[in-house]
């Protein structure tokens, strides 16, 4: 009996301790009401009387209106209630496509997570150069099967003898160009002055929007052996 | 026995906490930036400073702050970033950081990087806008040599107007404010107009969409969402949830945009005027447009007509039969 009591006390203590770790959210609701606070701050909102009107975000860093005779600066989303920061997360900083075999697909993937207040966001992607070995040999970007697919146009790529390197994207807010998981396209090449490709886009605020980037490579039979690398850059941009 | 309880307590507590701990990938990277957008109105030759705060998660990261030019894309407030970093000294709005060198890698120490930027406008006596993005790229400080690398980047928009006169030129056009002459009162009426900014200076106009009945009574009104429209670009005109009171310093406090949708009721019949007014934050009228639409119960009329036709056909057939029977 004492052992059970001790066990019970232990579990309750643990639960209380962990419950106190979690931050309270700025949303209160029941079946009949829902209150949303403007920011994760001390306070925020719209105040007015017959003599003044004011929006404030007490505690939010840098969301302010600064002015004097020579400049005005509006920082942050003062016009809307920003419920969260603009953030972007990449689940992996490396792409491991090894081992590579001629005329055989190798695949790798990782996720992108975006949280955007306001009226949405976009994520653009590009490669700094084509996959290049230390000896200077290159694995070309994919042209897909019957394409050719381009930096903005995705096409089916299921035949591994059509060699190259490309990607597709699945999940939230993906570029609608990728309507099927078999459709791929090459990354824009920064060294060739190609503009970045939009891979995720939304006109709505969203929290933890997750998409998966799937990389695919199939080297040719006569591809010189070596270690081929490049850098893929993803840039998240808010809507103004 | 007490020792047994103590050990149980420790083991259970440890297990419980381990279960609740979030998993962290050492190879991942996360960035958040504040503020995400700034608007600057600056006189020529003047200086102002804004601090950007970047929070980063990840190990062995270097952060590279760069300034890129941007161009508006579409009608929804998206921008396209020019991938080549700009030389901040070459712009009419020079940008410097007293703390870090733009374009050079900064090792991430802790999880927060505070970057103050000083903006100084050129002493030119012309009104001009400069649209830029402050891009932070995160790169691993220990990149492997056997695999390709990925780099996350996050950007904050810097939208600046350099204005010597203190008066912003305004030239706005309402576009795509077109609709059919008749509308079925069964369905909601949604408009998707555009507001085009013909000047090179950005503007954040306000306004109101209203529906006026044949008797002159306003049956529906919606304040417009105070979206920013960059120079020589267009933006969808949207409504907002709350009334836009218009404060010269803080603008409106609307929660989120919504489409311009009016749902007629069964008694809304006749020629209705759809009125769109665009104003400044101070309330000065900039442009307005009005269209007339006839709201009619088209579906009901069609139904009644069809039923009447069926009844007439049945009646005619019936009387024809009777007439035939009465024939000798």
């Amino acid at each position: 009996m004492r052992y059970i009591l001790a066990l019970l006390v232990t579990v309750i203590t643990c639960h209380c301790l962990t419950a106190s770790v979690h931050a309270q959210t700025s949303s209160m609701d029941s079946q009949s009401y829902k209150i949303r606070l403007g920011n994760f701050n001390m306070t925020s909102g719209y105040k007015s009387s017959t003599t003044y009107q004011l929006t404030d975000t007490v505690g939010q860093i840098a969301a302010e209106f600064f002015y004097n005779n020579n400049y005005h600066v509006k920082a942050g989303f003062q016009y809307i209630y920003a419920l969260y920061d603009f953030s972007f997360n990449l689940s992996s900083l490396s792409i491991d496509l090894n081992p590579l075999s001629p005329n055989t697909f190798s695949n790798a993937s990782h996720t992108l997570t975006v949280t955007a207040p306001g009226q949405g966001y976009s994520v653009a992607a590009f490669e700094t150069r084509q996959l290049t070995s230390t000896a200077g040999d290159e694995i070309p970007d994919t042209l897909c099967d019957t394409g050719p697919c381009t930096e903005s146009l995705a096409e089916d790529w299921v035949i591994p003898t059509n060699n190259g390197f490309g990607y597709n994207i699945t999940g939230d807010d993906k570029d609608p160009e990728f309507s099927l998981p078999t459709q791929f396209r090459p990354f824009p090449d920064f060294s060739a002055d190609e503009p970045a490709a939009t891979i995720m886009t939304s006109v709505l605020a969203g929290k933890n929007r997750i998409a998966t980037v799937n990389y695919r490579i199939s080297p040719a039979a006569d591809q010189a052996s070596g270690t081929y690398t490049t850098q893929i850059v993803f840039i998240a941009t808010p809507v103004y | 026995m007490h020792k047994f309880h103590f050990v149980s307590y420790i083991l259970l507590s440890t297990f419980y906490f381990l279960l609740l701990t979030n998993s962290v990938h050492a190879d991942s990277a996360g960035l958040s930036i504040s503020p995400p957008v700034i608007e600057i109105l600056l006189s020529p030759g003047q200086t102002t400073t804004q601090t950007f705060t970047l929070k980063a998660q990840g190990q062995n990261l270097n952060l590279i702050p760069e300034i890129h030019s941007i161009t508006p894309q579409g009608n929804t407030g998206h921008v396209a970033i020019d991938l080549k970093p700009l030389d901040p000294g070459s712009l009419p709005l020079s940008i410097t950081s007293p703390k870090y060198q733009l374009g050079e890698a900064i090792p991430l120490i802790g999880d927060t990087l505070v970057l103050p930027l000083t903006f100084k406008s050129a002493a030119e006596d012309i009104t001009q806008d400069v649209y830029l993005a402050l891009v932070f790229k995160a790169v691993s400080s220990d990149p492997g040599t056997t695999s390709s690398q990925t780099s996350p980047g996050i950007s904050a928009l810097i939208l600046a107007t350099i204005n010597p006169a203190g008066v912003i030129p305004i030239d706005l056009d309402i576009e795509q404010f077109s609709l059919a002459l008749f509308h079925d009162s069964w369905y909601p009426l949604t408009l998707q107009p555009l507001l085009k900014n013909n000047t090179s200076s950005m503007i954040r106009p306000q306004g109101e969409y209203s529906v006026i009945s044949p008797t002159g009574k306003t049956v529906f009104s919606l304040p417009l969402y105070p979206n920013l429209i960059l120079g020589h670009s267009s933006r969808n005109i949207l409504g907002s949830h709350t009334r836009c009171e218009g404060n010269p310093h803080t603008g409106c406090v609307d929660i989120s945009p919504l489409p311009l949708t009016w749902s007629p009721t069964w008694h809304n019949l006749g020629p209705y005027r759809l009125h769109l007014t665009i104003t400044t934050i101070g309330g000065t009228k900039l442009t307005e447009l009005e269209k007339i639409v006839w709201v009619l119960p088209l579906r009901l009329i069609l139904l009644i007509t069809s039923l009447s036709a069926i009844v007439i056909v049945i009646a005619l057939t019936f009387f024809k039969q009777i007439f035939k029977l009465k024939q000798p």
Side-chain angles (χ1 to χ4, degrees), chain B residues 30-66:
Chain B
L31 304 169
S32 79
I33 195 163
S34 179
V37 182
I38 67 162
E39 296 166 44
I40 303 172
L41 176 60
L42 207 58
S43 299
Q46 297 299 317
T47 301
T48 185
T49 300
Q50 170 68 42
T51 299
F52 291 89
T53 304
L54 184 89
K55 291 179 183 170
Q57 293 174 326
Q59 292 182 337
N60 302 323
L61 287 181
N62 281 335
L63 297 167
I64 306 170
E66 292 173 342

Side-chain angles (χ1 to χ4, degrees), chain A residues 3 7 53 55 70-72 74 76-77 80 88 90 92-93 95 119 121 193 202 230-232 234 236-237 240, chain B residues 4 12 27 29 31 36-37 39 41-43 77-78 84 148-151 153 155 225 227 235 247 253-254:
Chain A
Y3 177 71
L7 200 65
Q53 295 167 0
T55 59
N70 298 313
Y71 69 83
H72 286 197
K74 293 173 183 172
F77 290 114
I80 55 159
F88 180 43
L90 213 59
S92 177
L93 293 179
I95 314 162
Q119 293 183 61
Y121 71 95
D193 279 340
S202 173
T230 186
Q231 187 179 18
I232 310 293
F234 301 92
T237 306
Y240 59 83
Chain B
F4 177 72
L12 273 169
D27 197 23
L31 304 169
V37 182
E39 296 166 44
L41 176 60
L42 207 58
S43 299
H78 285 96
K84 285 186 178 165
S148 295
Q149 302 297 306
T150 60
S151 293
S155 60
Y225 193 85
N227 270 324
R235 193 91 192 249
N247 183 311
V253 291
D254 307 295

Side-chain angles (χ1 to χ4, degrees), chain B residues 20-188:
Chain B
L20 288 169
T21 306
N22 290 327
S23 60
V24 175
H25 299 282
D27 197 23
S28 67
L31 304 169
S32 79
I33 195 163
S34 179
V37 182
I38 67 162
E39 296 166 44
I40 303 172
L41 176 60
L42 207 58
S43 299
Q46 297 299 317
T47 301
T48 185
T49 300
Q50 170 68 42
T51 299
F52 291 89
T53 304
L54 184 89
K55 291 179 183 170
Q57 293 174 326
Q59 292 182 337
N60 302 323
L61 287 181
N62 281 335
L63 297 167
I64 306 170
E66 292 173 342
I67 299 292
H68 294 249
S69 70
I70 56 170
T71 46
Q73 200 174 41
N75 306 315
T76 51
H78 285 96
V79 296
I81 294 182
D82 186 348
L83 297 182
K84 285 186 178 165
L86 284 171
D87 173 13
S90 65
L91 299 167
L93 183 73
S94 73
I95 302 172
T96 53
S97 173
K99 207 169 173 184
Y100 301 105
Q101 185 70 35
L102 293 171
E104 290 188 2
I106 305 165
L108 179 66
I109 300 164
D111 61 356
T112 303
L113 176 73
V114 176
L115 179 72
L117 287 183
T118 301
F119 304 93
K120 184 175 183 186
S121 57
E124 295 171 18
D125 202 22
I126 50 168
T127 298
Q128 54 187 325
D129 275 23
V130 182
Y131 305 135
L132 304 167
L134 169 65
V135 179
F136 279 97
K137 284 181 195 160
V139 291
S140 175
S141 58
D142 185 23
T145 53
T146 57
S147 61
S148 295
Q149 302 297 306
T150 60
S151 293
I154 196 165
S155 60
L157 305 182
I158 299 164
L159 310 171
T161 297
I162 301 166
N163 187 286
V167 179
I168 305 290
I170 298 171
D171 183 2
L172 296 170
D173 280 334
I174 299 170
E175 295 183 342
Q176 297 183 19
F177 189 58
S178 56
L179 61 168
L181 185 60
F182 297 102
H183 179 77
D184 190 349
S185 58
W186 187 274
Y187 298 105

Side-chain angles (χ1 to χ4, degrees), chain A residues 107-120:
Chain A
N107 298 288
S109 65
H110 63 73
T111 59
L112 312 174
T113 307
V114 183
T115 291
Q119 293 183 61

Side-chain angles (χ1 to χ4, degrees), chain A residues 137-158:
Chain A
D137 296 310
E138 291 181 342
I139 294 177
D141 288 335
T142 181
L143 295 173
C144 302
D145 290 340
T146 55
C149 52
T150 65
E151 285 73 21
S152 58
L153 184 69
E155 295 284 347
D156 277 342
W157 187 25
V158 292

